[in-house]
Amino acid sequence: MSRPMGDSHKRFLQTLMSNGIISSIQAKALHRHCCETHGAHYSADRLDEFIDVINANLQPMFMYIRKGMSEEDGVQYYALVNTAETDITRMSSDYADNELELFRKTMDLIVDSENGAASSTDVLNCADSLQTKKMKKKETELVLNKFVQDKWLNEKQGVYTLSTRCIIEMEQYMRLIYQDLIKVCHVCHNVAIQSQICENPTCGIQMHLPCVAIYFKGRSDPLCPACNQFWAHEIPVVTCTLSRPPEANGEAEL
Amino acid sequence: MIAMSVLHVFKSSQRSQQVVLDEDDDGDASYTQPTSSQVQKARENYTPVQVDRKVAEVVQFILIKDQKKIPIRRTDIVKHVIKEYKALYQDIMKRADRIFEQVFGLKLVEIDAKNHIYILINKLQPVPGEPISMCPGNPKTGLLFVILSVIFMKGGTVKESEYLEYLRIPHTEPLEHEFRWGQRAEKEVSKMKVLEFVGEVSPCLLHSVYSITLLYLSV
C-alpha cells in the first residue's frame, strides 16, 4: 500500500508534467515551494523520499520520475517517463508516422557515430529515403525543429545530439534495440551517447565527459582505469555543481 | 486492431438501435447502461490485474486528450480504451476519477451531460512564487505525455493518428493559450460557464469532434 500523496506532491507532479524535465536545482526549489505552499513538513535532504512517494503512486499508471545526468555538463535532471507500452501510448503519439521514422533514423545515426552527433546534412539524406512517407528538405527542417522545441533533440550549429530528456526516457529501449552497439560509461554504467573512448584498440572503454572530468580531476597524468594506458583526450574541467551521477543499477522500478 | 474496434463499434451501435424505442436517446449511440447482472458477470469475468490496466489506460487516454485540449467524449473512452470491458465502465471511471484527484490533483468534470463530454480541471490553485512556470512557453506541452518510445514499434494505427491530427489543425497556438488561461481564471467552474467558454474559443473544434466521431461510428 503506497503512502498517499499530499497536495505538495501533486503540485510537484503537475509542474514536472508541464515541463517534462527539470534540473535538480529546480527540483530542490520546487520541492521547497510545494511543501511551504501546503504547509507540509519540509526537509531539504528528503527530496528523494518525496519523489519516492510520487513514484509509488505513479507506478500503476506506468509512469515514473527518473533521475539522469546531462552528457554536456554533468547536471542532474528529473524527467517524467513512461515505463510500459500500452495501446493508448502507441496510438496517441504527437508525431506522424514519417516524423517518428525520421526521429528513429536520426537516433540511429547518432548512436552509430563516434561523437554521438548527426549533422543536418546526414539527417536530410535520410529524409529522402523514408519508408512511410518521404519528406522534403523544408519539412524535414520543421520537424527537426519540433523535436528540438519538444526537448527531444539538441541542436548546435547544424549538429544534432540527443537531449538529456530523450536519453532518460529512452535509455531502456535503446539498450534493448541497439544492444552491443550502444556505448556504456565505464564510470557510472549509464548509456553514453557522447563520450570519450580509450585510444587503446584492445580496450576501447567509454566515459561521459562529465565523468571524465570527475574521475581525472586534479591528475596531471590521466590513465585509463581499465588498461592503464595514457588517456589521450582533453580532460574537461569540473564546473561548480557537479556531483556523482546516479548509478545505473541503483533504481528499483518496473 | 483497427478492424476489431470498428467491428465492435458496429455491433454495439446495432444493439443500441434495437432498444432505442425503449430507452431515452441520450445522444450516445455506442454506450448503453448495462444491467446489474451484466456488471456482476463482467466483474467475475475479468481479473483485478486486467481491470487495473484498463483504469491505467483510461487515465493515460484522458491525460493525452487534455494535453491536446480535446474535450473527452464518453464514446471515445468506450470505443478506444474500454472496449470489451464496457459493462465495467462505471467501475473504471470511478477509479480513474479517484486517481485524478488523489495522484494528480485534477478533477474530471462533465461539461455536457447529454453527450457526456468531460474535461480535466485543476484542483490546485495557481500560487505566486512558483520557481518553475506551470504554464511554460509552449502551451501545447501542458500536462506532458509525449511518448517517444513508439518509434521502436512497427506498424501503425494510421487511422487513429489521422483522427488525432485532424483535430489538431483547428487548434492553433493563440486558441490554446486562451483556453488554458480561461480555465485558470475560473475559481469556481460551473458546467455552463465552461461550456460557454469552450464554445466561444473553439466552436469548430467541438464540431470537428462530433463529425469525426460520427464518421467513425458510421464505418
Side-chain angles (χ1 to χ4, degrees), chain B residues 131-190:
Chain B
I132 311 163
S133 173
M134 283 261 271
C135 203
N138 178 4
K140 197 173 102 161
T141 56
L143 290 175
L144 209 56
F145 212 86
V146 183
I147 318 312
L148 206 63
S149 51
V150 293
I151 66 170
F152 291 126
M153 299 297 152
K154 273 228 172 98
T157 53
V158 178
K159 248 189 181 169
E160 309 291 8
S161 53
E162 281 173 355
Y163 170 65
L164 292 172
E165 266 178 26
Y166 182 96
L167 286 172
R168 269 197 298 177
I169 291 170
H171 219 42
T172 57
E173 289 265 340
L175 270 177
E176 273 182 82
H177 237 301
E178 283 181 301
F179 188 86
R180 196 94 170 128
W181 184 84
Q183 278 186 344
R184 291 177 63 139
E186 301 290 341
K187 289 256 160 144
E188 275 171 45
V189 182
S190 72

Coordinates of all heavy atoms in Angstrom, one line a residue, chain B residues 131-190:
Chain B
P131 N 8.8 28.5 -8.5 CA 10.1 28.6 -9.1 C 10.2 28.2 -10.6 O 11.1 28.6 -11.3 CB 10.9 27.6 -8.2 CG 9.9 26.7 -7.6 CD 8.6 27.5 -7.5
I132 N 9.3 27.3 -11.0 CA 9.2 27.0 -12.4 C 7.8 27.2 -12.9 O 6.9 27.0 -12.2 CB 9.5 25.5 -12.6 CG1 10.8 25.1 -11.8 CG2 9.7 25.1 -14.1 CD1 10.9 23.6 -11.6
S133 N 7.7 27.7 -14.1 CA 6.4 28.0 -14.6 C 5.6 26.8 -14.8 O 6.0 25.7 -15.3 CB 6.6 28.7 -16.0 OG 5.3 28.8 -16.6
M134 N 4.3 26.9 -14.4 CA 3.4 25.8 -14.5 C 2.8 25.8 -16.0 O 2.2 24.9 -16.4 CB 2.2 25.9 -13.5 CG 2.6 25.4 -12.2 SD 2.1 23.8 -11.9 CE 0.4 24.0 -11.2
C135 N 3.0 27.0 -16.6 CA 2.4 27.2 -17.9 C 3.6 27.6 -18.8 O 3.7 28.8 -19.1 CB 1.3 28.2 -17.9 SG 0.2 28.0 -19.2
P136 N 4.4 26.7 -19.2 CA 5.6 27.1 -19.9 C 5.4 27.7 -21.3 O 4.2 27.7 -21.8 CB 6.4 25.8 -20.0 CG 5.4 24.8 -20.0 CD 4.3 25.3 -19.1
G137 N 6.4 28.1 -22.0 CA 6.3 28.9 -23.2 C 5.5 28.2 -24.3 O 4.6 28.8 -24.9
N138 N 5.7 26.9 -24.5 CA 4.8 26.2 -25.5 C 3.6 25.6 -24.8 O 3.7 24.6 -24.1 CB 5.7 25.1 -26.1 CG 4.9 24.3 -27.1 OD1 3.7 24.6 -27.4 ND2 5.5 23.3 -27.7
P139 N 2.5 26.2 -24.9 CA 1.3 25.8 -24.2 C 0.8 24.4 -24.6 O 0.1 23.7 -23.8 CB 0.2 26.8 -24.5 CG 0.7 27.5 -25.8 CD 2.2 27.4 -25.8
K140 N 1.3 23.9 -25.7 CA 0.9 22.6 -26.1 C 1.5 21.5 -25.2 O 0.9 20.5 -25.1 CB 1.3 22.3 -27.6 CG 0.6 21.2 -28.2 CD 0.9 21.1 -29.7 CE 1.9 20.0 -29.9 NZ 2.0 19.5 -31.3
T141 N 2.6 21.8 -24.6 CA 3.2 20.8 -23.8 C 2.3 20.5 -22.5 O 2.3 19.5 -21.9 CB 4.6 21.1 -23.3 OG1 4.6 22.4 -22.7 CG2 5.5 21.2 -24.5
G142 N 1.6 21.6 -22.1 CA 0.6 21.4 -21.0 C 1.0 20.3 -20.0 O 2.0 20.4 -19.4
L143 N 0.1 19.4 -19.8 CA 0.5 18.2 -19.0 C 1.1 17.2 -19.9 O 0.4 16.6 -20.7 CB -0.8 17.6 -18.3 CG -1.4 18.4 -17.2 CD1 -2.7 17.8 -16.7 CD2 -0.5 18.6 -16.1
L144 N 2.4 17.1 -19.8 CA 3.1 16.5 -20.9 C 3.0 15.0 -20.9 O 3.2 14.4 -19.9 CB 4.6 16.9 -20.8 CG 5.3 16.9 -22.1 CD1 4.6 17.8 -23.1 CD2 6.7 17.4 -21.9
F145 N 2.7 14.4 -22.0 CA 2.6 13.0 -22.0 C 3.0 12.5 -23.4 O 2.4 11.7 -24.0 CB 1.2 12.6 -21.7 CG 1.1 11.3 -21.0 CD1 1.2 11.2 -19.7 CD2 0.9 10.1 -21.7 CE1 1.1 10.0 -19.0 CE2 0.8 8.9 -21.1 CZ 0.9 8.8 -19.7
V146 N 4.1 13.0 -23.9 CA 4.5 12.6 -25.2 C 5.3 11.3 -25.2 O 6.3 11.2 -24.4 CB 5.3 13.7 -25.9 CG1 5.7 13.3 -27.3 CG2 4.6 15.0 -25.9
I147 N 4.9 10.4 -25.9 CA 5.5 9.1 -25.9 C 6.4 8.9 -27.1 O 5.9 8.8 -28.2 CB 4.4 7.9 -25.9 CG1 3.3 8.2 -25.0 CG2 5.1 6.6 -25.6 CD1 3.5 8.7 -23.7
L148 N 7.7 8.9 -26.9 CA 8.6 8.7 -28.0 C 8.9 7.3 -28.3 O 9.3 7.0 -29.3 CB 9.8 9.5 -27.7 CG 10.6 10.0 -28.9 CD1 9.7 11.0 -29.7 CD2 11.9 10.6 -28.6
S149 N 8.7 6.4 -27.3 CA 9.1 5.1 -27.5 C 8.3 4.4 -28.6 O 8.7 3.3 -29.1 CB 8.9 4.3 -26.2 OG 7.6 4.5 -25.7
V150 N 7.3 5.0 -29.1 CA 6.5 4.4 -30.2 C 7.4 4.3 -31.4 O 7.1 3.6 -32.3 CB 5.3 5.2 -30.6 CG1 4.2 5.1 -29.5 CG2 5.6 6.7 -30.9
I151 N 8.5 5.1 -31.5 CA 9.3 5.0 -32.7 C 9.9 3.6 -32.9 O 10.4 3.2 -34.0 CB 10.5 6.0 -32.7 CG1 11.5 5.7 -31.6 CG2 10.0 7.4 -32.6 CD1 12.8 6.6 -31.7
F152 N 10.0 2.8 -31.8 CA 10.5 1.5 -31.9 C 9.5 0.5 -32.3 O 9.8 -0.7 -32.4 CB 11.2 1.1 -30.6 CG 12.4 1.9 -30.3 CD1 12.6 2.6 -29.1 CD2 13.4 1.9 -31.3 CE1 13.8 3.3 -28.9 CE2 14.6 2.7 -31.0 CZ 14.8 3.3 -29.9
M153 N 8.2 0.9 -32.3 CA 7.1 0.0 -32.6 C 6.8 0.0 -34.1 O 6.6 1.1 -34.7 CB 5.9 0.3 -31.8 CG 6.1 0.2 -30.3 SD 6.6 -1.5 -29.8 CE 7.5 -1.1 -28.4
K154 N 6.8 -1.1 -34.7 CA 6.4 -1.2 -36.2 C 4.9 -1.2 -36.3 O 4.2 -1.5 -35.4 CB 7.0 -2.4 -36.8 CG 8.4 -2.3 -37.2 CD 8.6 -2.8 -38.7 CE 10.0 -2.4 -39.1 NZ 10.9 -3.5 -39.0
G155 N 4.5 -0.8 -37.5 CA 3.1 -0.9 -37.8 C 2.4 0.3 -37.2 O 2.7 0.8 -36.2
G156 N 1.4 0.8 -37.9 CA 0.7 2.0 -37.3 C -0.8 1.8 -37.3 O -1.4 1.1 -38.0
T157 N -1.3 2.5 -36.3 CA -2.8 2.7 -36.3 C -3.0 4.0 -37.1 O -3.3 5.0 -36.5 CB -3.3 2.7 -34.9 OG1 -2.6 3.8 -34.2 CG2 -3.1 1.4 -34.2
V158 N -2.8 3.9 -38.4 CA -2.8 5.1 -39.2 C -4.1 5.9 -39.1 O -4.1 7.1 -38.9 CB -2.5 4.8 -40.7 CG1 -2.5 6.1 -41.5 CG2 -1.1 4.1 -40.8
K159 N -5.2 5.2 -39.0 CA -6.5 5.8 -39.0 C -6.5 6.7 -37.7 O -7.0 7.8 -37.7 CB -7.6 4.8 -38.9 CG -8.4 4.8 -40.2 CD -9.7 3.9 -40.0 CE -10.5 4.0 -41.3 NZ -11.5 3.0 -41.3
E160 N -6.1 6.1 -36.6 CA -6.1 6.8 -35.3 C -5.3 8.1 -35.4 O -5.7 9.2 -34.9 CB -5.6 6.0 -34.2 CG -6.3 4.6 -34.1 CD -7.7 4.6 -33.7 OE1 -8.3 5.8 -33.6 OE2 -8.3 3.6 -33.5
S161 N -4.1 8.0 -36.0 CA -3.3 9.2 -36.0 C -3.8 10.3 -36.9 O -3.7 11.5 -36.7 CB -1.8 8.9 -36.3 OG -1.8 8.2 -37.5
E162 N -4.5 9.8 -38.0 CA -5.2 10.8 -38.8 C -6.3 11.5 -38.0 O -6.5 12.7 -38.1 CB -5.9 10.2 -40.0 CG -4.9 9.8 -41.1 CD -5.5 9.0 -42.2 OE1 -6.7 8.6 -42.1 OE2 -4.8 8.8 -43.2
Y163 N -7.0 10.8 -37.2 CA -8.0 11.3 -36.4 C -7.5 12.4 -35.5 O -8.0 13.5 -35.4 CB -8.7 10.2 -35.6 CG -9.6 10.5 -34.5 CD1 -10.8 11.1 -34.8 CD2 -9.4 10.2 -33.2 CE1 -11.7 11.5 -33.8 CE2 -10.3 10.5 -32.2 CZ -11.4 11.1 -32.5 OH -12.3 11.4 -31.5
L164 N -6.4 12.0 -34.8 CA -5.8 12.9 -33.9 C -5.3 14.1 -34.6 O -5.4 15.2 -34.1 CB -4.7 12.2 -33.1 CG -5.2 11.2 -32.1 CD1 -4.0 10.4 -31.5 CD2 -6.1 11.8 -31.0
E165 N -4.6 13.9 -35.7 CA -4.0 15.1 -36.4 C -5.1 16.0 -36.9 O -5.0 17.2 -36.8 CB -3.2 14.6 -37.6 CG -1.8 14.4 -37.3 CD -1.0 13.9 -38.5 OE1 -1.4 14.1 -39.6 OE2 0.0 13.3 -38.2
Y166 N -6.2 15.5 -37.4 CA -7.3 16.3 -37.9 C -7.8 17.2 -36.8 O -8.0 18.4 -37.0 CB -8.4 15.5 -38.4 CG -9.6 16.3 -39.0 CD1 -9.6 16.5 -40.3 CD2 -10.5 16.9 -38.2 CE1 -10.7 17.3 -40.9 CE2 -11.5 17.6 -38.7 CZ -11.6 17.9 -40.0 OH -12.6 18.6 -40.5
L167 N -7.9 16.7 -35.7 CA -8.4 17.5 -34.6 C -7.4 18.6 -34.2 O -7.7 19.6 -33.6 CB -8.7 16.7 -33.3 CG -9.9 15.8 -33.5 CD1 -10.1 14.9 -32.3 CD2 -11.2 16.7 -33.5
R168 N -6.1 18.4 -34.5 CA -5.1 19.4 -34.1 C -5.2 20.6 -35.0 O -4.9 21.7 -34.6 CB -3.7 18.8 -34.2 CG -3.3 18.2 -32.9 CD -1.8 18.0 -32.9 NE -1.4 17.1 -33.9 CZ -0.2 16.8 -34.2 NH1 0.8 17.4 -33.5 NH2 0.2 16.0 -35.1
I169 N -5.6 20.4 -36.2 CA -5.5 21.5 -37.2 C -6.2 22.8 -36.8 O -5.6 23.8 -36.8 CB -5.9 21.1 -38.6 CG1 -4.8 20.1 -39.1 CG2 -6.0 22.2 -39.6 CD1 -5.2 19.4 -40.4
P170 N -7.5 22.7 -36.4 CA -8.1 23.9 -36.0 C -7.6 24.5 -34.7 O -7.9 25.6 -34.4 CB -9.6 23.5 -35.8 CG -9.7 22.1 -35.9 CD -8.3 21.5 -36.3
H171 N -6.7 23.9 -34.1 CA -6.2 24.3 -32.8 C -4.9 25.0 -32.8 O -3.9 24.5 -32.5 CB -6.1 23.0 -32.0 CG -6.5 23.1 -30.6 ND1 -7.7 23.8 -30.2 CD2 -6.0 22.7 -29.5 CE1 -7.8 23.7 -28.9 NE2 -6.8 23.1 -28.4
T172 N -5.0 26.2 -33.3 CA -3.7 27.0 -33.4 C -3.2 27.5 -32.1 O -4.0 27.6 -31.1 CB -3.9 28.2 -34.4 OG1 -5.0 29.0 -33.8 CG2 -4.3 27.7 -35.7
E173 N -2.0 28.0 -32.0 CA -1.4 28.4 -30.8 C -2.1 29.4 -30.0 O -2.4 29.2 -28.8 CB 0.0 28.9 -31.1 CG 1.0 27.8 -31.5 CD 1.8 27.3 -30.3 OE1 1.9 28.0 -29.3 OE2 2.3 26.2 -30.3
P174 N -2.6 30.5 -30.6 CA -3.3 31.5 -29.8 C -4.6 31.0 -29.1 O -4.9 31.2 -28.0 CB -3.7 32.6 -30.8 CG -2.8 32.4 -31.9 CD -2.4 31.0 -32.0
L175 N -5.3 30.1 -29.9 CA -6.5 29.5 -29.3 C -6.2 28.7 -28.1 O -6.9 28.8 -27.1 CB -7.1 28.5 -30.4 CG -8.2 29.2 -31.3 CD1 -8.6 28.1 -32.3 CD2 -9.3 29.7 -30.6
E176 N -5.2 27.9 -28.1 CA -4.8 27.1 -27.0 C -4.5 28.0 -25.7 O -4.9 27.7 -24.7 CB -3.6 26.2 -27.3 CG -3.9 24.9 -27.9 CD -2.7 24.1 -28.2 OE1 -2.2 23.5 -27.2 OE2 -2.2 24.2 -29.3
H177 N -3.8 28.9 -26.0 CA -3.4 29.9 -24.9 C -4.6 30.3 -24.2 O -4.7 30.3 -23.0 CB -2.6 31.1 -25.5 CG -1.3 31.2 -24.9 ND1 -1.1 31.4 -23.5 CD2 -0.1 31.3 -25.4 CE1 0.2 31.6 -23.3 NE2 0.8 31.5 -24.4
E178 N -5.6 30.8 -25.0 CA -6.8 31.3 -24.4 C -7.6 30.3 -23.6 O -8.0 30.5 -22.5 CB -7.7 31.9 -25.4 CG -7.2 33.2 -25.9 CD -8.2 33.8 -27.0 OE1 -8.4 33.1 -28.0 OE2 -8.7 34.9 -26.8
F179 N -7.6 29.1 -24.1 CA -8.3 28.1 -23.4 C -7.7 27.8 -22.0 O -8.3 27.7 -21.0 CB -8.3 26.8 -24.2 CG -9.1 25.7 -23.7 CD1 -10.4 25.6 -24.0 CD2 -8.6 24.7 -22.9 CE1 -11.2 24.6 -23.5 CE2 -9.3 23.7 -22.4 CZ -10.7 23.6 -22.7
R180 N -6.4 27.7 -22.0 CA -5.7 27.4 -20.8 C -5.9 28.6 -19.8 O -6.3 28.4 -18.6 CB -4.2 27.3 -21.1 CG -3.4 26.7 -19.9 CD -3.3 25.2 -20.2 NE -2.3 24.6 -19.3 CZ -2.6 23.6 -18.6 NH1 -3.8 23.1 -18.6 NH2 -1.8 23.0 -17.8
W181 N -5.8 29.7 -20.2 CA -5.9 30.9 -19.4 C -7.4 30.9 -18.9 O -7.6 31.2 -17.7 CB -5.6 32.2 -20.2 CG -5.7 33.4 -19.4 CD1 -4.7 33.9 -18.6 CD2 -6.8 34.3 -19.3 NE1 -5.1 35.1 -18.1 CE2 -6.4 35.3 -18.5 CE3 -8.0 34.3 -19.8 CZ2 -7.2 36.4 -18.1 CZ3 -8.9 35.4 -19.5 CH2 -8.4 36.4 -18.7
G182 N -8.3 30.6 -19.7 CA -9.7 30.6 -19.3 C -10.0 29.7 -18.1 O -10.6 30.1 -17.2
Q183 N -9.4 28.5 -18.2 CA -9.6 27.5 -17.1 C -9.0 28.1 -15.8 O -9.6 28.0 -14.7 CB -8.9 26.2 -17.4 CG -9.6 25.3 -18.3 CD -8.9 24.0 -18.5 OE1 -7.8 23.9 -18.2 NE2 -9.6 23.0 -19.0
R184 N -7.8 28.6 -15.9 CA -7.2 29.1 -14.7 C -7.8 30.3 -14.1 O -7.7 30.6 -12.9 CB -5.7 29.4 -15.0 CG -4.9 28.1 -15.3 CD -3.5 28.4 -15.7 NE -2.9 29.0 -14.5 CZ -1.6 28.8 -14.2 NH1 -1.0 27.9 -14.8 NH2 -1.1 29.4 -13.1
A185 N -8.5 31.1 -14.9 CA -9.2 32.3 -14.4 C -10.4 31.9 -13.6 O -10.8 32.7 -12.7 CB -9.6 33.2 -15.6
E186 N -11.0 30.8 -13.8 CA -12.2 30.4 -13.1 C -11.8 29.8 -11.7 O -11.2 28.8 -11.7 CB -13.0 29.4 -13.9 CG -13.4 29.8 -15.2 CD -14.5 30.9 -15.2 OE1 -15.2 31.1 -14.2 OE2 -14.7 31.6 -16.3
K187 N -12.3 30.5 -10.7 CA -12.1 29.8 -9.3 C -13.1 28.7 -9.2 O -12.8 27.6 -8.7 CB -12.2 30.9 -8.2 CG -11.1 31.9 -8.2 CD -10.1 31.6 -7.1 CE -8.8 32.3 -7.3 NZ -8.2 32.8 -6.1
E188 N -14.4 29.0 -9.5 CA -15.4 28.0 -9.4 C -15.9 27.7 -10.8 O -16.5 28.6 -11.4 CB -16.6 28.5 -8.5 CG -16.4 28.3 -7.0 CD -17.5 29.1 -6.3 OE1 -18.6 29.0 -6.7 OE2 -17.1 29.8 -5.3
V189 N -15.7 26.5 -11.2 CA -16.1 26.2 -12.6 C -17.5 25.6 -12.6 O -17.7 24.5 -12.1 CB -15.1 25.2 -13.2 CG1 -15.5 24.9 -14.6 CG2 -13.7 25.8 -13.1
S190 N -18.4 26.3 -13.2 CA -19.7 25.7 -13.3 C -19.8 25.2 -14.7 O -19.2 25.6 -15.6 CB -20.8 26.8 -13.1 OG -20.9 27.6 -14.2

